[in-house]
Amino acid sequence: MTDTIAAIATPMVPSAIGILRLSGPGAVPAVDQVFTPFCGGSMSQRPDRALVYGALRDRDGAVIDHCLCTVSRAPHSYTGEDTAELQCHGSPAALTLGLEALFSAGARQAGPGEFTRRAFLNGKLDLTRTEAVAGLIHAETPAAVYQAAGQLGGALARAVDGVYRELADLCAHFHAVLDYPDEDIEPFEREELAGALGRAAAKLDTLAATYRRGRLLNEGAPCAIVGRPNAGKSTLFNALLGRERAIVTDIPGTTRDTVEERLSFGGVLLRLIDTAGLRETGDAVERLGVERARAAMEGAELILAVTDGSADFTAEDAEVLELASSLGKPWIWVVSKRDLTGPCALWSAAQPENAPAAMVSLSAKTGQGLTGLEEAVAALFPAPENVQAGAMLTNARQAEAAGRALGAVRRGTQALGAGMPPDAVVADVEEAMAALGELTGRTVREDVTARIFERFCVGK
């Protein structure tokens, strides 16, 4: 990392502020070539993190903006290198001219996530904090923001490092006794090993249990809205979104394909899926839509089974509810069209093995009853108790590494119980430590880091 990178760190749309960012050994000299402080001198003469007002010039020396500039020198910067930022007016054209001037001054275009990658490689961030940066950028709900901010503050790293350190102490004690038998070192006891393994297993089990909630914060829970044609599915879909996204008509079978949108509802990020009405049909196109609706139900983590409360309960309604109850997934029975008068017949079938988590009567047209649906959804996805904000596993990489660590600790416990010698058990302990090291980035493959930084935008 001997070169200097530069990028536009804000979206390329007209805005009040646009930022040009640099990092590398030539960051401050490059800024000196394109920025002239109005108070005289140059940025190389300024202290770290002082905001200086001046003129930004293009590669030919013509003034293109009046802006603020600040520098932060290594190692006291985000990347651990010399860095600089130019806080300009948010004209895409002016920012482009400023970036071209920085290229002429010796910088090169930064790649996606390259600033944060340098922070990781320079030891300013571990891998969990690095992933938290991307999580904060992409957060779509307040809960996701708090989780990412806590993880960026080191909550997850501290939880992992606590287990790692205890296992490392255990291994160090074992090897000290083994390598220095003549020294006055306290003997290595099986009880010590058993206690440490038990504590590690309990902590890792608790950590692994956070993955479901953490994943939902980032990816969202697939939620399929299903029902017979004209039950009110698309109207409910639009009401939850707050806009007309799906076509709504009085003609049964209007929806022929799945329509998907993301929204925060009940404190949960939902990947809401509107589906074709479930019924037997001879229409080839509608039949494909019904097949996709069934597939959406099978892939969902929550099902909203909608029946028309203003009409007679039909065999098709019963089939929808029976199908929802047969999939082994959380589901809510939604009785729609509460604003209309009607029989609102109840399900007369036998009680299913997987009863609905709730039954909600509502009017998607007027909004009456939507609060009850929101409360029912929130109850199905509660936040883990006694888990600090930021201490949840939020992606498959983290969960896989934590799972391998937990598996190794459990194997060590089983081996100890079977009477295996301590050295065989310590091998499992070292395997668990290796997995935890991958989680935080103590040891990590290049292809893994490459995948992590694919989510980042240029300039971060």
Side-chain angles (χ1 to χ4, degrees), residues 26 49 77 80 121 124 144 155 181 184 201 246 260 289 314 327 339-340 350 361 367 397 403 441-442 450 454:
R49 289 174 288 282
S77 70
L121 295 175
K124 304 297 287 187
D184 186 21
E260 183 172 337
T314 68
L327 295 176
D339 54 300
L340 303 177
S361 175
R397 186 199 70 82
R442 291 173 186 266
E454 285 174 358

Side-chain angles (χ1 to χ4, degrees), residues 169-456:
D169 290 343
L170 191 70
C171 289
H173 186 190
F174 171 79
H175 287 293
V177 172
L178 187 67
D179 295 340
Y180 304 101
D182 297 331
E183 298 292 332
D184 186 21
I185 301 175
E186 185 178 346
F188 188 80
E189 303 290 346
R190 296 176 67 88
E191 291 75 14
E192 176 190 0
L193 185 54
L197 289 175
R199 290 188 296 274
K203 292 176 182 177
L204 289 173
D205 194 53
T206 299
L207 183 64
T210 66
Y211 176 51
R212 177 176 183 264
R213 176 68 178 183
R215 179 177 59 82
L216 294 180
L217 291 179
N218 281 354
E219 300 177 10
C223 174
I225 303 177
V226 299
R228 65 176 172 85
N230 251 22
K233 302 183 299 299
S234 295
T235 303
L236 175 60
F237 182 78
N238 289 341
L240 294 177
L241 292 177
R243 59 189 175 90
E244 297 296 317
R245 174 63 176 87
I247 297 174
V248 176
T249 73
D250 293 331
I251 303 171
T254 299
T255 302
R256 299 296 188 95
D257 200 353
T258 56
V259 181
E260 183 172 337
E261 291 285 348
R262 296 161 71 94
L263 82 155
S264 176
F265 190 68
V268 181
L269 180 62
L270 296 181
R271 287 159 46 199
L272 202 61
I273 308 167
D274 186 23
T275 66
L278 295 173
R279 67 174 176 180
E280 296 295 328
T281 176
D283 186 307
V285 176
E286 186 178 358
R287 189 163 57 249
L288 286 173
V290 172
E291 291 174 358
R292 293 185 180 184
R294 292 179 180 273
M297 292 181 71
E298 293 174 358
E301 296 193 33
L302 173 63
I303 297 171
L304 303 183
V306 182
T307 60
D308 184 349
S310 69
D312 290 328
F313 191 81
T314 68
E316 289 178 338
D317 288 323
E319 289 176 4
V320 169
L321 299 183
E322 290 288 359
L323 179 58
S325 69
S326 69
L327 295 176
K329 303 172 182 291
W331 66 288
I332 297 173
W333 182 5
V334 179
V335 180
S336 68
K337 305 183 183 181
R338 182 172 170 177
D339 54 300
L340 303 177
T341 58
C344 192
L346 298 179
W347 191 7
S348 58
Q351 183 71 17
E353 293 184 4
N354 180 27
M359 177 180 172
V360 179
S361 175
L362 57 78
S363 168
K365 185 176 181 180
T366 66
Q368 188 178 14
L370 287 179
T371 299
L373 178 59
E374 186 171 12
E375 292 171 351
V377 170
L380 288 173
F381 299 96
E385 295 183 2
N386 302 319
V387 176
Q388 181 184 356
M392 289 188 284
L393 303 174
T394 54
N395 60 53
R397 186 199 70 82
Q398 295 173 355
E400 191 272 338
R404 279 192 286 116
L406 178 58
V409 168
R410 285 174 172 168
R411 286 193 299 275
T413 302
Q414 292 170 356
L416 189 65
M420 297 292 288
D423 56 338
V425 179
V426 169
D428 290 317
V429 172
E430 291 173 341
E431 184 180 340
M433 290 173 59
L436 294 176
E438 291 180 25
L439 201 160
T440 58
R442 291 173 186 266
T443 56
V444 63
R445 301 191 313 271
E446 176 63 24
D447 61 324
V448 173
T449 59
R451 287 197 301 272
I452 289 171
F453 288 100
E454 285 174 358
R455 293 187 66 215
F456 281 78

